[in-house]
Amino acid sequence: MAELLDTISYPEDLRGLDAARLPDLAEELRGYLLESLSETGGHLGANLGTVELTLALHYTFQTPHDRLVWDVGHQAYVHKLLTGRRESFGTIRQAGGLSGFPKRAESPYDTFGVGHASTSISAALGMAQASAAQGEERAVAAIIGDGAMTAGMAFEALNHAGDLNANLLVILNDNEMSISPNVGALSQRFSRLIAGRWYNRMRDNADRALSRIPGARDIARRAEEHFKGLITPGTLFEELGFNYVGPVDGHNLDELLPILGNLRGMEGPRLLHVVTRKGKGFEPAENEPTKYHGVTPFDPATGAPRKSGGGAPAYTKVFGDALIETAAADERVTGITPAMREGSGLVEFEQRFPERFFDVGIAEQHALTFAAGQACEGLRPVVAIYSTFLQRAYDQLIHDIAIQNLPVVFAIDRAGIVGPDGPTHGGNFDLSFLRPVPNLTLMTPANEVDLRNMLATGLALEGPSALRYPKDKAVGLATSGPPSPLEVGRAEVVREGSGGQALLVFGPFIGPALEAAEERDATVVNMRFVKPLDTALLTELAATHRHLVTVEENTLAGGAGEAVRAFLASLDPEVRVTCLGLPDAFIPQGERTALLGDYGLDAAGMTAALRAHTAPRPVARECPQK
Ligand SMILES: Cc1ncc(C[n+]2csc(CCOP(=O)(O)OP(=O)(O)O)c2C)c(N)n1
Ligand SMILES: CC(=O)[C@@H](O)[C@H](O)COP(=O)(O)O
Ligand SMILES: [Mg+2]
């Protein structure tokens, strides 16, 4: 039952409640989250951990006039439930449904579109500065987790906020977790502080004792500030110009409400350090916060997933196993992840090679240049990174790695369509932004055997390389034998056809391509390398094939198909090239297989492309006479 929650559609309804009712509402929200997400899946742990904080924020801040900017935004489901989206909450992360992250187009309460970490303070600072410049009286708060606080961008923003002396509240939601347990020196200091709650009790006891001695409290306060500086990171924030308050219990509304009420009215940069528990109120999630960071539909009674895995391993696991095999054979190999140990398949690698595993936190730029430094000293670093998050370190890839031609291997996961996470997490662009980079070898495995061999290929190169693969199960081939290097720039003819047409696939499309090739007796080629292209094979094909269809799970703009088309245009303009890939758009959220079909990246789409060959060539439009 959620009789209180049923009365709340918007924050003004919430603010009409007596504060004493809020703990009951918190419990109803937790029950609602568990029930709904047990059906749909989603980011469970972080949302259970921010129930009270979200209530307190919408209760004390005059939203939407006041601005709340969520960092990453995966923890903003309660925010959505309280801002007019309870009825549609069951559609979250599904095609046509609510986004899993705050999205400006979705609600005026969603002040900034997020999904990638560590942007909230910058955006909130921009809003605070603009509001002040326009004479708008409004409170602005960024809510950032301890994981997101490990990114350099967060400190760039703190530094600037202190410089501007901006009216900005930063709320650090510290649950000692990223997706994995949080990493970094700052996180360790936070943990000691939280563990050191004795610090607060000791201070309160001393305060009471000294209050009876005139003047003693001032001396003690100064001593305390010094002492606090010795053991709390609050000093770090205070050095950046922030008034640090905390740590406070992020589940205690009696603490949160007055503190947020006071901080809202204060001026200048303030930072409230809030301590929460990821997964709060649901024992399985409290006990295994990493496992319950992102969940598929589950049994709310036990937390067990409704559907078990099974079938061929995901490419992520194929990569993780191959990295272990290559590292076992070559002690120079290291594995580096920017805070995505589980998602990138490195859990077992860390267990096998703890001294060669590096989780650098949410710090993609640092991850790449750290790898560059390792490579300078003869190591063979492998950076395991999602395509979408690699976007954040593009300059490091070019400037620190490619220009110096350093042997860093990029194992790019979640390439192409990601599904429920939607546009902010799409891996649509990596072929386009990597192809122009000199010195870089760019590979698209078509199956698990290719993936293993391409890892070995990259590790054998003296310069940078990248292999990219989707969030999907592998095709299920036997992977006997150790990963072994391929001949760089050589494609694999999978089917010899005599119909004068060919399907050239970049990635795991051989199955649907073979299906589509039957009807017209088309040739099927596993291209394997986007860079360098197998131009010798393309030259050979062009002599006997008058229509080539390229297939890639990447935006067409600047993609692999364009490389093929450019080469053939220079060779024989009469050869027709049809490119299948993603449009010039951000791919919406939805179910991955359905989305692949929507864009013709399946057997039906390839068949249609081959059939179109008989269609008359589009007549070039007459250029209008000047
Ligand atoms: C730039 C970037 N890198 C990685 C991620 C993947 N990611 C999503 S949430 C998360 C952990 C965030 O930890 P924290 O900010 O502490 O939030 P919590 O889940 O603990 O509430 C990570 C690494 C991301 N969203 N953005
Ligand atoms: C919020 C965030 O960025 C991550 O939790 C991301 O959703 C993980 O994606 P996967 O579920 O594909 O690992
Ligand atoms: Mg955290």
Side-chain angles (χ1 to χ4, degrees):
M1 282 301 288
E3 67 270 13
L4 250 185
L5 182 56
D6 289 345
T7 66
I8 309 290
S9 294
Y10 289 94
E12 53 267 29
D13 306 321
L14 175 70
R15 295 191 276 262
L17 285 181
D18 184 312
R21 306 288 313 272
L22 297 186
D24 294 340
L25 180 55
E27 282 325 298
E28 287 187 16
L29 279 162
R30 271 198 176 84
Y32 194 95
L33 279 173
L34 278 171
E35 185 189 338
S36 188
L37 297 183
S38 71
E39 299 296 327
T40 63
H43 287 100
L44 177 67
N47 283 286
L48 290 171
T50 47
V51 169
E52 288 82 8
L53 178 59
T54 309
L55 279 174
L57 279 165
H58 279 293
Y59 197 80
T60 51
F61 279 63
Q62 298 305 308
T63 52
H65 176 77
D66 289 349
R67 306 298 196 224
L68 300 180
V69 183
W70 296 92
D71 203 286
V72 182
H74 64 306
Q75 80 288 58
Y77 293 4
V78 175
H79 160 82
K80 294 201 173 199
L81 288 169
L82 298 174
T83 54
R85 288 167 278 185
R86 190 178 72 249
E87 305 298 329
S88 55
F89 189 70
T91 67
I92 197 157
R93 291 162 44 93
Q94 296 148 61
L98 288 181
S99 166
F101 309 100
K103 183 176 173 183
R104 286 174 57 84
E106 193 174 284
S107 164
Y109 291 87
D110 291 5
T111 57
F112 196 69
V114 285
H116 284 198
S118 319
T119 62
S120 62
I121 304 172
S122 298
L125 178 59
M127 292 173 194
Q129 191 281 329
S131 299
Q134 297 172 85
E136 273 290 347
E137 282 290 315
R138 71 161 45 94
V140 180
I143 306 101
I144 183 168
D146 55 309
M149 190 63 96
T150 59
M153 183 175 176
F155 285 89
E156 292 165 15
L158 289 173
N159 189 40
H160 189 208
D163 188 43
L164 290 180
N165 192 32
N167 286 343
L168 173 67
L169 172 60
V170 173
I171 297 166
L172 172 60
N173 172 27
D174 185 1
N175 54 21
E176 299 185 271
M177 290 299 296
S178 185
I179 295 179
S180 328
N182 201 8
V183 297
L186 196 58
S187 167
Q188 289 164 18
R189 282 176 71 88
F190 284 155
S191 299
R192 279 204 301 278
L193 170 70
I194 295 168
R197 278 186 183 285
W198 58 271
Y199 162 72
N200 293 310
R201 277 195 300 281
M202 181 199 70
R203 180 193 58 185
D204 298 346
N205 296 339
D207 215 28
R208 274 194 294 279
L210 292 169
S211 62
R212 291 187 287 277
I213 306 165
R217 278 178 87 176
D218 292 345
I219 297 164
R221 278 266 184 267
R222 278 197 294 278
E224 179 209 20
E225 278 315 306
H226 176 67
F227 180 53
K228 193 162 101 169
L230 296 177
I231 64 161
T232 74
T235 311
L236 172 73
F237 298 114
E238 283 164 0
E239 289 305 306
L240 289 170
F242 278 75
N243 179 350
Y244 171 85
V245 176
V248 299
D249 179 351
H251 299 299
N252 182 335
L253 283 155
D254 292 338
E255 268 193 60
L256 282 174
L257 290 172
I259 284 175
L260 281 171
N262 290 337
L263 286 170
R264 177 180 179 274
M266 285 169 63
E267 296 190 344
R270 294 90 75 205
L271 186 135
L272 173 62
H273 185 177
V274 169
V275 177
T276 62
R277 175 118 193 220
K278 199 163 183 178
K280 176 80 175 176
F282 184 53
E283 195 175 339
E286 287 192 14
N287 295 338
E288 297 183 272
T290 297
K291 179 179 171 186
Y292 286 86
H293 168 83
V295 296
T296 54
F298 62 93
D299 175 352
T302 64
R306 290 189 192 282
K307 275 192 295 185
S308 62
Y315 285 112
T316 305
K317 171 135 179 46
V318 173
F319 160 69
D321 293 346
L323 187 64
I324 288 170
E325 286 183 59
T326 51
D330 183 345
E331 64 182 17
R332 299 175 302 163
V333 174
T334 65
I336 299 167
T337 176
M340 299 302 285
R341 176 185 65 184
E342 286 75 14
S344 297
L346 292 180
V347 173
E348 286 76 19
F349 180 85
E350 180 186 22
Q351 290 162 354
R352 277 289 299 275
F353 305 103
E355 76 292 346
R356 289 197 260 164
F357 168 79
F358 302 92
D359 177 354
V360 299
I362 303 181
E364 286 81 6
Q365 296 169 341
H366 165 63
L368 266 69
T369 308
F370 173 68
Q374 286 192 334
C376 289
E377 298 305 325
L379 295 186
R380 280 289 186 273
V382 176
V383 178
I385 190 164
Y386 287 19
S387 172
T388 190
F389 301 140
L390 177 60
Q391 293 165 182
R392 189 163 272 191
Y394 192 46
D395 183 57
Q396 285 74 18
L397 187 145
I398 292 175
H399 181 271
D400 301 333
I401 293 170
I403 290 178
Q404 302 186 100
N405 200 28
L406 290 170
V408 175
V409 178
F410 295 95
I412 302 173
D413 202 331
R414 285 18 177 221
I417 295 174
V418 291
D421 274 339
T424 54
H425 285 63
N428 320 353
F429 311 111
D430 56 83
L431 294 185
S432 304
F433 65 72
L434 294 176
R435 195 163 68 84
V437 180
N439 297 336
L440 183 73
T441 299
L442 184 49
M443 300 174 272
T444 54
N447 52 50
E448 50 268 61
V449 175
D450 266 2
L451 193 156
R452 290 160 53 81
N453 292 338
M454 287 175 182
L455 177 61
T457 305
L459 287 168
L461 290 173
E462 284 313 316
S465 62
L467 55 143
R468 54 101 72 173
Y469 41 92
K471 178 178 187 177
D472 216 337
K473 288 201 173 305
V475 293
L477 301 179
T479 53
S480 54
S484 46
L486 299 167
E487 186 185 345
V488 174
R490 295 296 296 153
E492 173 197 25
V493 177
V494 178
R495 181 184 193 277
E496 297 263 9
S498 60
Q501 293 182 291
L503 285 162
L504 312 179
V505 303
F506 293 89
F509 297 103
I510 291 178
L514 288 172
E515 192 183 324
E518 283 305 312
E519 181 183 271
R520 306 214 157 216
D521 192 15
T523 296
V524 175
V525 180
N526 168 16
M527 291 301 289
R528 284 184 167 156
F529 293 84
V530 174
K531 190 174 185 183
L533 269 180
D534 189 341
T535 50
L537 176 67
L538 290 175
T539 304
E540 201 182 304
L541 286 175
T544 52
H545 295 69
R546 308 313 292 159
H547 182 212
L548 306 181
V549 177
T550 64
V551 186
E552 63 194 296
E553 196 177 336
N554 189 86
T555 185
L556 289 169
E562 279 195 1
V564 170
R565 179 177 276 153
F567 173 72
L568 287 167
S570 66
L571 184 77
D572 178 351
E574 285 308 303
V575 175
R576 185 172 172 181
V577 179
T578 301
C579 299
L580 297 181
L582 300 177
D584 179 16
F586 294 105
I587 305 305
Q589 64 194 39
E591 199 275 318
R592 177 178 150 77
T593 309
L595 288 165
L596 283 167
D598 291 349
Y599 298 111
L601 297 174
D602 58 3
M606 294 177 214
T607 301
L610 292 172
R611 285 178 184 161
H613 173 53
T614 51
R617 286 172 67 84
V619 175
R621 278 193 302 276
E622 290 298 315
C623 295
Q625 296 308 316
K626 290 253 185 292

